Each structure stands twice: as structure tokens, then as C-alpha cells.
Amino acid sequence: MVATPIRPRVDAPLGGLAVADATRHDRLVAMREGRLGSVHSWELVTAVDGPGTRLTTFLSGCPLECLYCHNPDTLAMRDGHPVTSDELLARIARYAGVFRATGGGITLSGGEVLMQPAFAARILRGAKELGIHTAIDTSGFLGAAATDEMLADIDLVLLDVKSGDPETYRRVTGRTLEPTLAFGRRLAALPLGGHRPEVWIRFVLVPGLTDDPGNVEKVAAYAASLNEITPGTVTRVEVLPFHQMGRDKWAALGRDYRLGDTQPPTPERTESVRARFRAHGLQTY
């Protein structure tokens, strides 16, 4: 399903004011408190972004500049739609029956969900109060912004490990690798007896960029190391073949797309990379 923009009601309440009438100061305060978020779009999907049928909400804003980003229109927070947490939670509640019937739930994605931690935390808390399964799709780069209270409201973390090699990671994202690795280790080390989110590792296979055997091995070894910290932390790995589906978006935004000549990996190459993860005892798709 194509992502559909969320068009907020101009009368959506925000501290006694309609969103459209709120001052910039009021909006900033509301965002800090999590009552207001910048949302790009949403889509109702099955067997994507977690189990069952899911309402995936794409938040605007991301600190990374991934060369293969297929949602470059979500990178700037200012380009999103202002949506109150109450409004989004009301939308989520409409699908509660669908979620129960399919074992689905909500997934907060982006952009980068942890660019808006207060808003995300409020949505996750509200969803759990409704008895709905929750997931976040994150690079982990801003993992320090996720409080322990937020993690307690998350059932599944889709952790996008873009590279196992620091130099390759910087080449892909323009950022450093360690915050992502640290976030995964933090998830694995959450106290026994408490709530620990399930972790799915995602790795995008890009020929000539992330497919070096040494890099693949480092990602696989890292994923396996989380299960050494606490068995059962990583329950799934998804090796996602690179595609050109976001190329037109880059052109429409006037941005330089540097992977225009890069071809998707062959099915045989993709399967051989999946085999490297399976060799570490990881359930891989």
C-alpha cells in the first residue's frame, strides 16, 4: 500500500488552541512534551515492519544521510504534518480489532523515530494502554534518547544495522557506527525479569557498498553477540536487497542520488549473505 499523508484536523486540540492557530512557541513546547509530533505519512500493511497487520507511521526527521534512503522526503522534520498525540492514538484505536485478529499492531518508523522521543513515548504508552503490540523501526543512532520507560512500552525493535565496519558505516550514513552498536547491546542487557523488547536486525545489501564479505561477517557476528549477552534477544534477521524505488524521490527533491548506477544484488548473492547469518545460528530471511 502506498503511504498516505496524515492530514491533521485544524481543530485538533493543543493546549486549548487549534494546531493551526498555535504560536511557534506553543508548538515547540507541545513537541517537547510529546503532545505534538511531525508526521510524514502512515500505511496499513501486512507482514511488513513486524508481525500481523500493522499501522506503520512515518515520523519526519532523521540525523543520518543514507546513500540508499528510499524515504528522503522524511529527512527534514519541518516537512512533516503537525499531528497531536491524541489524534494519532484515536486513529490507532480504530484498528484495534484488526490488530487483535491478525496479531499485529503499530510500528513507529521514519525518518528516525527517536528524533521525536517524547512524542514517540506518548504514542507507545497510549498504544500499550489499548493492549496493542508496539514496534519501532530505528537505526539506533539516537538510542540514548530512548528512556527505560519508553523501552518498557516497546514489544519489538527493528534495528537497522547498516554496516559492521565503521568506515563503511560513515560512508553509507555520514555518521559513526558505535551508537547503533551500543543501543543493541543495551537492549540485550536489559535486566532479567523485566520487559525486554524482541529485536529484529535489518541489513540492507548494497553491491559495492555494504556487500564486502568482511563487512557482512561483522554484522552477523554483532547480531550473534547480542544473543550471547542474553539468549533470544535477536529472534530474526532480515537481509534486504538494495533497490532503486526511492530514486525518483531524490530527483523530485533536487538531491544528488549517488547510487544511480548500482544494480540490485542477484538472488544468489543475497542468499549467500543470508547463509553467513545463518552460520551464526540466526534465523534469517
Side-chain angles (χ1 to χ4, degrees), residues 6-9 12-14 19-20 22 26-41 57-61 74 76-89 108-109 112-123:
I6 292 179
R7 304 198 181 281
R9 303 188 315 271
L14 177 60
V19 171
D26 290 332
R27 291 191 184 207
L28 289 174
V29 169
M31 292 188 80
R32 284 197 296 270
E33 295 176 351
R35 293 182 290 118
L36 183 69
S38 178
V39 178
H40 173 271
S41 57
T57 302
F58 299 89
L59 305 188
S60 294
T74 67
M77 194 179 298
R78 65 178 180 273
D79 293 337
H81 302 282
V83 175
T84 67
S85 55
D86 287 345
E87 186 179 5
L88 182 52
L89 283 168
L108 298 182
S109 186
E112 169 54 61
V113 57
L114 295 178
M115 281 280 283
Q116 302 184 55
F119 182 70
R122 191 172 286 235
I123 299 302

Side-chain angles (χ1 to χ4, degrees), residues 14 96 217 222 250:
L14 177 60
E217 178 60 26
Y222 169 72
W250 284 72

Side-chain angles (χ1 to χ4, degrees), residues 64 66 68 139 160-164 169 172-173 202-203 210 215:
L64 307 185
C66 298
Y68 53 73
S139 70
D160 188 359
V161 182
K162 301 171 189 295
S163 169
Y169 192 90
V172 171
T173 70
R202 285 179 159 177
F203 172 65
T210 66
N215 185 51

